[in-house]
Each structure stands twice: as C-alpha cells, then as structure tokens.
Amino acid sequence: MVTESPALKHVILGTAGHIDHGKTSLIKAVTGIDTDRLKEERRRGITIELGFAWLELPNGQSVGIVDVPGHEKFVKNMVAGATGIDLVALIIAADEGVMPQTREHLDICRMLGITHGLVVVTKTDMVEEEWLELVIDDLKAFVKGSFLEGAPVVRVSSATGEGINDFVQALQRLCEQVPERSSSGLFRLPIDRVFTMKGFGTVITGSLMSGRIGVGETVMVYPAGIQSKVRGIQIHGQSVQEATAGVRTAINFQGLDRTAIKRGDMLARPNTLRPSYMVDVAFDFLGFGKRPLKNRTKVRLYTGSSETEGYIILLDREEVRADEIALAQLRLEAPVSLVKDDRFVIRSYSPVRTIGGGRVLNPIARKHKRFKAPVIDYLKQLAEGDPKRLLPEYIKDAGLQGISFPELVILVNLPEKELEEELQGLLSKKTIVQVDREKRVFLHGDLFEDLKKEALRLLTDFHQANPLKPGMIKEVFKSRLPKGLDIRGFNLLIQSLIKSGSVVQEKELVRLAEHKVALKADQEDIRRRIEKAYSEGKLQPPYLRDLTKSIDQGTDHMRELVDHMVEEGVLVKVKEDLYFDRAVIESLKNELVNFLRESGEITTPQFKEMTGTSRKYMIPIMEYFDDIKVTIRVGDVRRLREG
C-alpha cells in the first residue's frame, strides 16, 4: 500500500542586512541564481532593486526567496520585499559585524511581525577564528530580546562553499516550524514589480499574502479600481493554473496597460477591499534619537509594497516616547487598501529613517477627535479583543448606514465562511438585523430598536400637531429620521413597525395604528359651514381664500379642515384654492361620459353650455378631467380616454 505524502506548505524567505554583507552572493551560492539583474547593480556591485530566486530543499520543500537591498537609500525597497515573507535570514559579514542597516532591517522585520528566522555570518574565509567568535558573541547580544534570540547561527563562505549545506539544513528545519498561510482568506497580493514581456503583455510579481487565485478569474488593482482578467500564472518559472498563499507569484493580464499599475498597488478580487485615507493603528515607537514623537508629525507609511506620506495623529497623548505604544490615526495623502492586523513600518519624513511601526486596528476609519474616552476605549478593544467577540461592536460603530459583508471581512480579518457563521448566530439572536439581503448590509439591533422608538415618537408628535391629517407622507417621515439611514433600511423600519401592529401605511401616508381623525365641537361647526358652501355653490363654488374670509378663520386652520374633507371624500380638489362638492363633480362626470359616448367628442363651447359656468370654473374642471384620465385633449376638442 502506497501512502501519499502530505503536500508541503509554501514558504517565502527574505534576506536582511547591511550593504555588501553578502546577501546576494549567499543566494547565488545556494540557488545558482544571480538576483542582481540590473546593469547598474552589477556595475556597482550592490543590490538596488528587489531580487527573486527559489530553492528546492532536500525534503522537496520549495522556498521562494526575496533578496533585498542593504543600502540605506533603498530601505523602502527592502520594506516592499520584506512584506509577505515567512522567515528572514539576517546576514552579518564576519569582517564588519553589526552595522547601521543591520539594526534598521531587524527593526523593520520586527515591525512587520516576522517571528521566524536565522542569523547567517558570511565571509568567514576573510577572518581569523578568534575574530569570528567575537563577532558571533557580539551578534548574539545584538539579537537578544528580539525574535531572533536563540535562532540558529550559521557560518558560511559563499566564496569557498563552507557552511552552505549547514545553511540549507537549518533553513529546512525552520520551514517545518513556520505556520502555513491561510488559502481560505481574502486574496491579496501586494505588487512589488511591474513589467511587460513580449507575447505575455503586462506582468506583475508579488508575494501572495493570503487566499488563492486562478487563471481566468477577474481581479482588481487597488486603490485605482481597475479590473482585468488573469491570463496566466507562474510560480518559480513554471506555469500553473492556481496560486495559493505563501508563494512568490507572477501574473499576466488580458488587455491591461502597463502604465495602469505600479509598485505599491494591491491586487485583490473586485469590491473586496476599500481604499481609505484614514487608518486607526497601534503605533510602536522605536525612537528618534532622544526626542519624543509629537502629535501631527509628518511621516512615511510603508505597508504591503507601498509608500505613502501622511500625518500621525496621537489620540491618547500629546507625544510618544521610545518603546511606547500609542493609539493613533494615520491621515494620508493617498488612499491605502488594508485589512485589520496588517503590519506597517513608519519612517520619518526628513531625515528619512525607520522610527517605528505597528498593527492596523481599523483600515477604514472615520476621523476621530483626540482624547475622546469612547474612541480610545473602542480602539483598545480592537487592539486587545477577539475579532469574533468584537463583531457586534464593528457593526454598531458603523451607525445607521450599516456595514456591508465585504467591509466586515477586512475589519475582522476572518475567512468568509467563518464570518458568515458568526453573522448567522448574531442574526438568530437578533443582536443584528440585515437591512439589505442583496448587498448583505447589517445594522446593530440596539440601533434598530432605538430607531423604532424615534420613529414612533415622530409620528406621535406629528399627530398631536396635526390632528386632522390622516398621516405623514413617507418621504417627509424619512427626512425627519436620524441621518444615515438609506432607503432599504427605511423600508425595513416601516415593515417592522407594521408587523408589530404599531403603525399603518395607507398609500404614501404613514400613521400610528391608533390614530383617528376626530374634530372638536367648534371644528365640526366650521366643517358643516364649509360643506354647505360647496354644496350650494354647485359648479360655481367660492374660492378657498374667499371662503376663509367669510367664515373668519385662519388660513392654515381652514386649509387643514378642507384637506381633511378631501381625504374623507366629501370635497374634490380641482386646482390650488379651488374645491368642489364631490357629488356635484361626480354627477358632471357621468353626464360628460354619456355625452362623449354618444357624440364622440366635445368642444369648449359645448362643455360651457353643459356646465352653465364661466371660464374661470369651466377650464379648471376640463383640465381636472384630463388629469384624472377621463378625457383626452385632441386639438380643440376632448374625447373619452379609453383604457
């Protein structure tokens, strides 16, 4: 019986260390690949751009390798390459020991959340054994307290080949310890290189952070929002149908212009990320000399493969000192597309040096005021809490506009299936409500209950102020509710109130179920006088403004009573200020319909003779019958409207 061996996980190794400490030479000695591909790099003997290689370990494990530049001028390229790596090889030359970029690169790795790695002492052929031992003692003290404390220390010489096999064996053991990246999460690939190839078109490369992508799928370039289809995928120079998290990946596209993409963009599926100019973070300040960092300092943000300038707003203090962690908001000059718990690096604006980094708490934050206890408490929860437990808080924080499923995915950073299960549990407990099934938008249950109470209060106040009106127009009702509620949320509110029996909707009017129009004794008297005036006026009734003067009532009061009588069906409104007794209008309508059925059409003089009225009444009545679709005007005559 043959047992299939389990598939080996994907691992990406990154180099780190000072310029000219032998990073590129080590990779070439191990893989046979020279990662310095640019003429300028070979001429100067230094790495400027990111270099890429791969290695198959003795156990069959395939490792993608990112070789980063060591020169201080190219640290931003180093950060771009370090994003997405699973473990790091910190390179220290035996003839120089720990140098400035050694320190900065280690700080960057820590800020990016890298937790696995090894230390490689290169150029061992250039020093005496006694000196080498001193260097190793020094570097062990250097990494103490970091994630590399206790990590393997390997001595190598790329020139003689000494220690190369030890490096490979140590790397293999480390790969077994590295946790596998999730392929069920959100597909994201930070773009670190863009180029064109004849016959392939536009090609991008990057380290696949999470999820999976296949040939033929549609993807989107963020933050620009440009869509394209995946034409081909390569891993370590081999064409594949699918790539999963933890691999160095090259992807080419159908019909996508090279100029539409740049390093720093993020590749993901359409409408799964949301670019934002503001990000809430937990900021770990490494220090900037002996000076603290003050609020609103201009900084450079490095995340994924992007560099963005902006300002750091300290929300819980005036300044932050070295080795302190502050709650802050980054307000940026260009949008970024991040997910909760993404790691980032902060460098000072000028002079440019690494001063800290940290973790994203809210990737689509709203602007906060400083020193606000609710904001600080909320961010502390995000920094310390379980994302599943905090799910209701995210939904409540979104307010009445609600929050969509894709937004929740990036806020809690959970696989979609797991998030769906959590949401179903909250829906069943009525902790949240779904206001839009198609777009999957959710609202917190407490906010919805408060909204229902506010809606009932508005209707109660309206009925008290307008006792003769049968209800409030729906659009007016919506406009008086708290801002942020969209039409789907409003419709759900109405349906919920109707289902509870507290509200009734009649056409475009909304009222409390118990509301009944009831006139007071003095109003009943005025109502009878109005009804008599219109009944006796027949087809020549008084205009409302004249009737108001004769009855000696306020205009608003009279209009309210007359509108009530229209709602009751006693009067008919023909035009502004002109009303008729409904029985009189119905009688005329029947006479007109009979005439048209016999004669086919009626002229204006014929209608004037039929009504016995002047033009100031006759013309509005004719237009009223047109409006209610009894008649249709054809030239100078009216005909019966069919259907």
Side-chain angles (χ1 to χ4, degrees):
M1 180 177 175
V2 178
T3 304
E4 277 192 22
S5 59
L8 294 167
K9 58 177 173 274
H10 300 297
V11 177
I12 299 175
L13 168 72
T15 64
H18 197 77
I19 182 173
D20 201 30
H21 273 211
K23 297 186 293 296
T24 303
S25 297
L26 173 64
I27 299 307
K28 186 175 181 180
V30 172
T31 67
I33 299 170
D34 186 353
T35 57
D36 280 349
R37 54 190 170 77
L38 303 179
K39 289 182 181 179
E40 180 70 4
E41 290 177 317
R42 290 173 180 171
R43 184 182 70 81
R44 295 171 63 183
I46 64 170
T47 299
I48 297 171
E49 268 291 357
L50 298 173
F52 307 107
W54 60 89
L55 170 68
E56 186 169 313
L57 296 172
N59 65 356
Q61 170 81 60
S62 181
V63 179
I65 302 174
V66 183
D67 184 26
V68 305
H71 197 287
E72 62 178 343
K73 290 183 179 179
F74 309 119
V75 169
K76 68 176 183 180
N77 294 348
M78 181 271 169
V79 178
T83 296
I85 69 173
D86 299 295
L87 54 90
V88 66
L90 182 65
I91 313 296
I92 300 172
D95 60 338
E96 288 192 326
V98 174
M99 297 290 281
Q101 254 52 63
T102 315
R103 298 179 186 279
E104 187 168 19
H105 283 201
L106 183 60
D107 284 339
I108 288 169
C109 290
R110 182 165 71 85
M111 292 299 106
L112 292 176
I114 298 167
T115 56
H116 293 79
L118 71 165
V119 180
V120 183
V121 183
T122 59
K123 303 185 181 183
T124 56
D125 58 305
M126 298 178 66
V127 299
E128 299 292 334
E129 181 66 25
E130 187 177 350
W131 175 262
L132 183 59
E133 292 297 334
L134 290 173
V135 169
I136 291 174
D137 288 342
D138 184 44
L139 69 86
K140 285 182 178 179
F142 167 65
V143 300
K144 190 172 183 180
S146 77
F147 69 95
L148 287 178
E149 182 177 0
V153 178
V154 182
R155 312 176 189 194
V156 303
S157 168
S158 300
T160 66
E162 180 189 356
I164 296 297
N165 186 58
D166 294 338
F167 170 78
V168 171
Q169 292 298 323
L171 181 59
Q172 181 169 285
R173 288 191 294 273
L174 276 172
C175 287
E176 293 169 356
Q177 299 170 20
V178 172
E180 188 166 11
R181 289 179 178 265
S182 171
S183 295
S184 62
L186 192 68
F187 162 66
R188 289 193 299 155
L189 189 149
I191 298 169
D192 53 37
R193 190 176 169 216
V194 186
F195 55 95
T196 55
M197 283 185 67
K198 191 173 181 180
F200 290 89
T202 299
V203 180
I204 65 94
T205 67
S207 300
L208 212 161
M209 293 174 67
S210 60
R212 60 179 68 233
I213 192 67
V215 173
E217 290 193 59
T218 299
V219 291
M220 181 174 280
V221 179
Y222 294 86
I226 300 166
Q227 292 192 42
S228 186
K229 191 168 281 190
V230 175
R231 181 179 175 187
I233 301 174
Q234 283 198 354
I235 299 174
H236 303 165
Q238 300 295 316
S239 293
V240 296
Q241 288 299 305
E242 183 182 68
T244 58
V247 296
R248 285 292 308 169
T249 308
I251 299 176
N252 69 302
F253 303 97
Q254 292 179 358
L256 187 61
D257 195 320
R258 159 72 180 83
T259 59
I261 319 176
K262 63 183 184 304
R263 171 186 284 179
D265 288 340
M266 181 71 75
L267 197 66
R269 288 190 174 83
N271 306 314
T272 55
L273 298 179
R274 186 174 142 190
S276 176
Y277 286 89
M278 286 183 281
V279 182
D280 292 335
V281 299
F283 171 60
D284 187 349
F285 184 46
L286 291 170
F288 191 39
K290 294 183 179 179
R291 291 178 291 161
L293 185 81
K294 298 191 179 208
N295 176 59
R296 203 168 176 76
T297 297
K298 189 167 187 179
V299 296
R300 301 171 189 269
L301 168 70
Y302 297 83
T303 181
S305 54
S306 72
E307 175 187 9
T308 313
E309 294 176 8
Y311 294 87
I312 185 164
I313 309 300
L314 302 176
L315 298 174
D316 60 351
R317 64 195 74 195
E318 287 293 350
E319 60 184 27
V320 57
R321 298 184 178 278
D323 300 322
E324 289 182 347
I325 297 177
L327 297 173
Q329 183 169 82
L330 298 172
R331 296 179 187 166
L332 306 169
E333 295 176 2
V336 290
S337 304
L338 302 177
V339 170
K340 185 179 185 294
D341 293 328
D342 276 352
R343 308 294 300 210
F344 63 88
V345 171
I346 293 288
R347 305 190 81 208
S348 52
Y349 184 72
S350 181
V352 182
R353 54 172 289 192
T354 302
I355 59 172
R359 186 163 59 93
V360 171
L361 302 181
N362 186 335
I364 49 175
R366 297 196 301 270
K367 191 173 184 178
H368 301 309
K369 289 185 178 179
R370 301 175 65 216
F371 302 110
K372 293 294 180 182
V375 172
I376 294 168
D377 289 344
Y378 175 60
L379 293 181
K380 283 181 178 177
Q381 286 187 66
L382 299 189
E384 301 164 5
D386 173 12
K388 293 180 183 178
R389 185 177 61 79
L390 291 172
L391 191 53
E393 295 302 315
Y394 280 114
I395 297 172
K396 180 178 278 189
D397 186 58
L400 290 177
Q401 68 184 13
I403 191 165
S404 68
F405 185 83
E407 288 173 321
L408 285 171
V409 171
I410 65 175
L411 281 171
V412 298
N413 198 9
L414 288 174
E416 290 192 11
K417 187 175 180 181
E418 193 173 338
L419 177 58
E420 284 172 350
E421 290 173 356
E422 292 296 321
L423 289 171
Q424 285 302 319
L426 293 173
L427 285 168
S428 65
K429 296 174 186 174
K430 297 186 178 178
T431 304
I432 62 173
V433 294
Q434 189 167 3
V435 297
D436 188 334
R437 291 186 180 278
E438 182 183 344
K439 295 181 179 179
R440 293 195 290 178
V441 176
F442 303 91
L443 187 68
H444 197 279
D446 290 349
L447 296 182
F448 194 62
E449 288 302 314
D450 290 343
L451 184 64
K452 288 197 286 187
K453 291 175 185 176
E454 176 63 11
L456 294 175
R457 185 194 67 76
L458 280 173
L459 287 175
T460 300
D461 291 348
F462 177 81
H463 291 322
Q464 288 176 351
N466 305 277
L468 298 185
K469 290 187 177 179
M472 192 187 299
I473 298 170
K474 272 181 70 176
E475 285 303 313
V476 174
F477 183 39
K478 182 178 183 301
S479 70
R480 294 184 183 179
L481 287 166
K483 291 181 180 179
L485 190 69
D486 68 8
I487 188 61
R488 292 180 186 267
F490 175 67
N491 289 336
L492 180 67
L493 171 67
I494 295 293
Q495 292 165 14
S496 178
L497 292 172
I498 291 172
K499 188 176 180 180
S500 69
S502 54
V503 164
V504 172
Q505 180 179 339
E506 295 167 334
K507 294 184 180 178
E508 290 305 306
L509 294 179
V510 181
R511 65 173 174 85
L512 293 176
E514 68 268 17
H515 175 67
K516 301 289 186 227
V517 176
L519 301 180
K520 298 176 183 177
D522 60 333
Q523 291 175 321
E524 283 287 1
D525 179 59
I526 296 169
R527 181 189 182 284
R528 283 192 290 271
R529 293 169 66 184
I530 294 171
E531 186 174 0
K532 181 180 180 184
Y534 282 111
S535 177
E536 291 177 351
K538 297 190 181 300
L539 291 175
Q540 299 183 80
Y543 273 69
L544 181 58
R545 59 181 176 271
D546 299 324
L547 185 60
T548 300
K549 291 177 184 176
S550 66
I551 296 180
D552 192 22
Q553 289 292 315
T555 302
D556 291 343
H557 189 207
M558 280 292 288
R559 189 170 296 280
E560 191 176 45
L561 280 168
V562 169
D563 287 345
H564 171 58
M565 293 171 73
V566 171
E567 290 291 335
E568 282 186 314
V570 175
L571 300 180
V572 172
K573 184 177 181 179
V574 170
K575 73 168 192 175
E576 194 62 35
D577 216 40
L578 182 58
Y579 297 79
F580 288 82
D581 183 280
R582 178 171 289 278
V584 172
I585 286 293
E586 286 296 318
S587 176
L588 176 61
K589 185 179 80 170
N590 293 334
E591 184 179 355
L592 175 61
V593 169
N594 290 334
F595 179 89
L596 290 173
R597 282 176 178 163
E598 291 181 8
S599 304
E601 60 186 33
I602 189 170
T603 64
T604 301
Q606 286 174 317
F607 191 68
K608 185 176 186 301
E609 184 180 344
M610 179 183 293
T611 60
T613 62
S614 64
R615 291 181 62 85
K616 80 171 186 176
Y617 293 109
M618 179 197 66
I619 297 300
I621 294 173
M622 291 179 73
E623 291 174 348
Y624 169 73
F625 284 140
D626 290 342
D627 290 341
I628 65 171
K629 296 181 170 47
V630 173
T631 56
I632 184 170
R633 183 174 180 176
V634 182
D636 293 330
V637 300
R638 255 81 175 182
R639 291 177 183 167
L640 193 64
R641 185 185 287 267
E642 300 294 338

